[in-house]
Amino acid sequence: MNRKPILGNFPPYLKLMTFGLVILFSMIIVLLIGMLIAIPIFGTDAISNMSKMTETSDPSLIAMAKYFQIISQFAIFIIPSIIFAFLAGRNSMRYMKISHKPELTTLIYAGLSIIAAIPLINFLGEINQNIALPSSLAGIESWMQNSEKQAAQLTELFLNVNTIGALLINILMIGILPAIGEEFLFRGILQRLFHEWIKNIHVAIILTAFIFSFIHFQFYGFFPRFALGMVMGYLFYWSGSLWVPILVHFINNTFAVVVFYYTHLEGFGKTYETVGTSENLMWIALISSAIVSILLWKIYSICKKDKTNFPADESLQKAETAGT
């Protein structure tokens, strides 16, 4: 007979509070260890100059910033999610639906959907950037613009590489780790907890997508990131497998990294970010929306065929509850 998980009898709101504490302690401990490891590698002077990161092209500072970016993925997303999933379910893989394998066709359609969505995502991004706040909120708007500018500068410093080795590091830092870590935290943990608490999966998906977009603190990309979070939330709910949103997240991020690398390496002036914006025909975004809708419907239909395991999230959760 399996023992009950430590947090098995906790109400959802207490689980959320516990998860917040786990994230906090993980951040403190893992980042402290990361700093101690960084000192003999990068030196104390480099750490004290972190505030100048967006104002310099010093390779050593950029390398250190990438190092801490990787460490933060483990500290904030991956490690606390694994720990909490163990406390809440005694089996982290099963709790976050990592052990459940999706249909191959589901993965293929999911991968195609995020590629097809690029014009639509860029179109939403352009709409987002054209939103102006009222004059009474000019101070907040100025702060948002400055934050966005700094984030863009840092991102460009990270992405502006010209070797395959550096490209692979960027894929690890921006493609692989965020796809795993952020999906662990947002879909694997938060969406599940919100569903348990609110008892409405649609509200849980919307709330999780909102937090997912907001937490990036890139306000002029809020709409496309929110839409992406919604799609990944439903893909997770339909398939019952975290591998589906992880794949979509990975393709979305990695595609951007690879395209940036080759367009800048070859000196092209435009990137995929202009596809579907006002510089092109807007009907491309409409076609993109139609194709994505068809692909998502195909995924929904594939998942629904197995009626004993649909919605997969609910059926697996019942099985886990019966086994504790």
Side-chain angles (χ1 to χ4, degrees), residues 93-105:
M93 299 281 285
R94 187 175 62 193
Y95 184 88
M96 292 190 291
K97 308 295 188 293
I98 301 170
S99 58
H100 180 65
K101 297 179 181 179
E103 294 284 341
L104 178 60
T105 49

